[in-house]
């Protein structure tokens, strides 16, 4: 049997408090939620869990609070089979997110970074083996940009493919010469990118830009060429974490050696499955479920 590839995820770990609401409240309004749920989240850890469930060996690098949530999150990562030796203990509270999900499954998210913002290049340099034998380093922007940029440099020097999902969007991330091999953005983030009207101008050094567009085709942009991959058709109940599922499973597929289009197909199927159940990590599929959806064909 082929050895599972290793992926290092540098990113956030939050505790999510999610409220299901019939619609999003307007300023000054009080709404009653039909359901409340507390769960482990954060874009970094979500992507780590998605990759691990799809079959990767995952190392998580980040910073949890020195509190009960931090302790419980470590146990949770261990339960998912994720190596958390690179998860530091900060002085502040564990990061937290307040999420609303409306009747269409759409969401709004407000994040308090807490200990996630204590991650620094200096602290990471005290850790060993962050990227040793890692095929891919997967990063987002819920940790300080300096830490993300520094980690990308170290990962690149160690021979890993650097995949950046610049979410939440920070325009400065495109001005920092981060050595990005593959960029994964959603439509809104893509509008802010210097892709040019013909989608021909890539960020410097970048081999591919993947643009996820919800239920519509995913764009795979390489030098001078845009290809489209149709996602499965599903009726979402909760889209929280779908983008993270895409990024984590795409990273695993790339690390396994799949071509860009096949990696996007696998990631699209995983992301579609993740919208069928409530929650972020709770909803993430195992590899078998993803393969099964793909074998049933694109249209569900
Ligand atoms: O992408 C979804 C995630 O964004 C949530 O889990 C929340 O913690 C925020 O980081």
């Amino acid at each position: 049997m082929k050895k599972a590839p290793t992926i290092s995820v540098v990113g956030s770990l939050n505790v999510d408090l999610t409220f299901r609401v019939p619609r999003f409240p307007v300023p000054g309004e009080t709404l009653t939620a039909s359901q409340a749920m507390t769960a482990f989240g954060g874009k970094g850890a979500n992507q780590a869990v998605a990759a691990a469930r799809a079959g990767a060996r995952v190392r998580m690098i980040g910073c949890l609070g020195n509190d009960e949530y931090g302790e419980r999150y470590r146990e949770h990562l261990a339960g998912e089979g994720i190596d958390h030796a690179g998860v530091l203990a900060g002085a502040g509270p564990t990061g937290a997110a307040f999420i609303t999900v409306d009747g269409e499954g759409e969401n709004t998210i407000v994040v308090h970074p807490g200990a996630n913002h204590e991650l620094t290049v200096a602290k990471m340099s005290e850790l060993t083996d962050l990227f040793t034998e890692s095929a891919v380093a997967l990063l987002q922007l819920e940790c300080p940009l300096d830490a993300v940029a520094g980690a990308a440099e170290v990962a690149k020097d160690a021979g890993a493919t650097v995949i950046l999902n610049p979410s939440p969007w920070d325009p400065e991330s495109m001005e920092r010469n981060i050595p990005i091999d593959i960029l994964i953005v959603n439509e809104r983030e893509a509008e802010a990118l210097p892709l040019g009207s013909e989608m021909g101008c890539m960020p410097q050094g970048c081999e591919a830009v993947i643009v996820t567009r919800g239920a519509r085709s995913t764009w795979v942009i390489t030098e001078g060429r845009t290809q489209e991959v149709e996602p499965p058709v599903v009726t979402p109940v909760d889209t929280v974490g779908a983008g993270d599922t895409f990024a984590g499973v795409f990273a695993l597929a790339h690390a396994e050696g799949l071509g860009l289009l096949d990696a996007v197909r696998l990631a699209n199927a995983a992301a579609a499955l993740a919208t069928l159940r409530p929650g972020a990590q709770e909803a993430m599929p195992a590899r078998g479920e993803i393969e099964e959806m793909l074998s049933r064909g694109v249209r569900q």
Side-chain angles (χ1 to χ4, degrees):
M1 220 174 109
K2 237 168 104 183
K3 195 177 152 197
T6 300
I7 293 175
S8 294
V9 180
V10 181
S12 57
L13 307 99
N14 296 332
V15 173
D16 292 351
L17 176 58
T18 304
F19 284 165
R20 271 207 98 90
V21 286
R23 58 179 172 76
F24 298 124
V26 296
E29 184 182 20
T30 301
L31 272 183
T32 301
S34 60
Q35 196 188 11
M37 189 168 82
T38 308
F40 296 112
K43 295 185 196 302
N46 290 350
Q47 297 182 13
V49 168
R53 290 205 189 145
R57 287 145 62 102
V58 179
R59 283 191 195 120
M60 180 77 213
I61 298 131
C63 194
L64 281 163
N66 204 356
D67 51 22
E68 195 196 325
Y69 283 130
E71 279 310 304
R72 282 169 48 192
Y73 214 139
R74 279 172 213 283
E75 285 165 22
H76 169 66
L77 292 173
E80 293 285 344
I82 294 172
D83 175 350
H84 57 87
V87 178
L88 303 158
T94 292
F98 175 73
I99 302 177
T100 53
V101 179
D102 76 1
E104 308 295 310
E106 292 299 331
N107 65 75
T108 66
I109 304 179
V110 180
V111 174
H112 178 254
N116 291 303
H117 270 199
E118 294 180 48
L119 191 68
T120 61
V121 175
K123 283 182 186 161
M124 280 187 282
S125 68
E126 287 165 20
L127 303 166
T128 49
D129 291 340
L130 294 185
F131 304 104
T132 313
E133 289 183 15
S134 287
V136 169
L138 179 58
L139 309 107
Q140 323 73 31
L141 298 181
E142 277 187 334
C143 290
L145 192 51
D146 281 345
V148 172
E153 297 278 354
V154 178
K156 186 79 178 171
D157 288 348
T161 296
V162 174
I163 302 181
L164 176 68
N165 171 220
S167 182
W169 176 250
D170 177 353
E172 212 195 314
S173 63
M174 294 299 118
E175 290 158 18
R176 293 286 296 260
N177 287 328
I178 300 174
I180 307 162
D181 293 302
I182 300 176
L183 200 57
I184 300 177
V185 292
N186 63 25
E187 256 182 307
R188 193 170 304 169
E189 292 151 1
E191 280 168 20
L193 279 178
L195 288 170
S197 55
E198 298 302 314
M199 293 290 185
C201 170
M202 307 284 287
Q204 208 188 357
C206 194
E207 147 202 340
V209 177
I210 314 284
V211 184
T212 58
R213 303 191 312 138
R216 288 174 300 139
S217 64
T218 307
W219 290 339
V220 180
I221 305 167
T222 45
E223 202 64 65
R225 190 169 185 208
T226 299
Q227 296 173 86
E228 298 189 39
V229 180
E230 290 292 335
V233 176
V234 290
T235 306
V237 298
D238 181 345
T239 54
V240 178
D244 296 331
T245 306
F246 182 96
V249 174
F250 176 86
L252 169 270
H254 183 78
E256 282 182 346
L258 264 66
L260 285 175
L261 298 185
D262 283 338
V264 167
R265 271 180 208 110
L266 198 77
N268 270 344
L273 284 164
T275 68
L276 299 179
R277 295 188 282 251
Q281 296 180 19
E282 290 74 10
M284 289 174 180
R287 180 61 171 262
E289 290 174 81
I290 309 172
E291 304 276 5
E292 209 224 337
M293 176 172 248
L294 274 179
S295 72
R296 277 188 275 146
V298 162
R299 299 279 155 189
Q300 300 297 311

